[in-house]
Amino acid sequence: MSLTEEQHKIRAGRITGSEVPAILGLSPFKTPLECYLELTGKNEKEFHDNVDTRMGHLMEPLIANYAATRLDIDFIKSDRTYIDKTDDFICGSPDYINSSGDIGLEVKNVGAHMSWKWGSGADDVPDYVAAQVATYAMVTGIRKWMVVAAFGG
């Protein structure tokens, strides 16, 4: 997902939906300590795009379009960062929300090296994805969420 400059400003100093899995020790991409160091500005290492993140940015709209067509749901790219109404230090920037605003869609482009973390059932998403989506449900108030993933990178 590509974020706007405004979204980066809103997210600064807040726990985001993509950081919640790291804080909970569920993320395969970041440890709780790395997350803490980033949130407190003590991290010396700055993230740079890599092939996986670039491919994710390129593939996300295609995957979302495929899901919208297959599910016959009009999903719209979300350009908003939501701040939790109760705990304003938590926020989230969901990928897509349907046109009536009652269904969220999280899109994943899963590389071959990460596919083993996904189950074989329709409801079997990794815990780190479930935690991210649960955060989006909390900050948006949207109760129904779908995760669509394309495998192979």
Side-chain angles (χ1 to χ4, degrees), residues 102-117:
D102 61 349
I103 304 172
L105 178 70
E106 180 62 21
V107 178
K108 298 296 182 189
N109 183 51
V110 183
H113 63 285
M114 293 299 290
S115 62
W116 66 274
K117 292 190 173 283

Side-chain angles (χ1 to χ4, degrees), residues 87-151:
D87 300 309
D88 68 354
F89 59 90
I90 301 173
C91 68
S93 305
D95 291 337
Y96 292 82
I97 296 173
N98 72 330
S99 56
S100 58
D102 61 349
I103 304 172
L105 178 70
E106 180 62 21
V107 178
K108 298 296 182 189
N109 183 51
V110 183
H113 63 285
M114 293 299 290
S115 62
W116 66 274
K117 292 190 173 283
W118 293 71
S120 58
D123 294 328
D124 199 4
V125 301
D127 289 342
Y128 67 93
V129 175
Q132 181 181 11
V133 171
T135 305
Y136 295 158
M138 181 179 77
V139 300
T140 64
I142 297 172
R143 297 179 60 132
K144 184 174 184 178
W145 284 82
M146 298 178 173
V147 176
V148 63
F151 294 89

Side-chain angles (χ1 to χ4, degrees), residues 47-123:
F47 177 77
H48 297 283
D49 267 355
N50 58 44
V51 134
D52 292 332
T53 58
R54 285 192 297 272
M55 285 303 293
H57 291 161
L58 290 171
M59 294 296 295
E60 182 181 285
L62 301 174
I63 298 166
N65 188 9
Y66 176 79
T69 302
R70 289 279 293 169
L71 298 168
D72 196 26
I73 298 173
D74 185 25
F75 286 110
I76 300 164
K77 177 77 178 133
S78 176
D79 59 356
R80 181 172 168 199
T81 296
Y82 295 79
I83 300 171
D84 189 71
K85 290 180 172 86
T86 304
D87 300 309
D88 68 354
F89 59 90
I90 301 173
C91 68
S93 305
D95 291 337
Y96 292 82
I97 296 173
N98 72 330
S99 56
S100 58
D102 61 349
I103 304 172
L105 178 70
E106 180 62 21
V107 178
K108 298 296 182 189
N109 183 51
V110 183
H113 63 285
M114 293 299 290
S115 62
W116 66 274
K117 292 190 173 283
W118 293 71
S120 58
D123 294 328

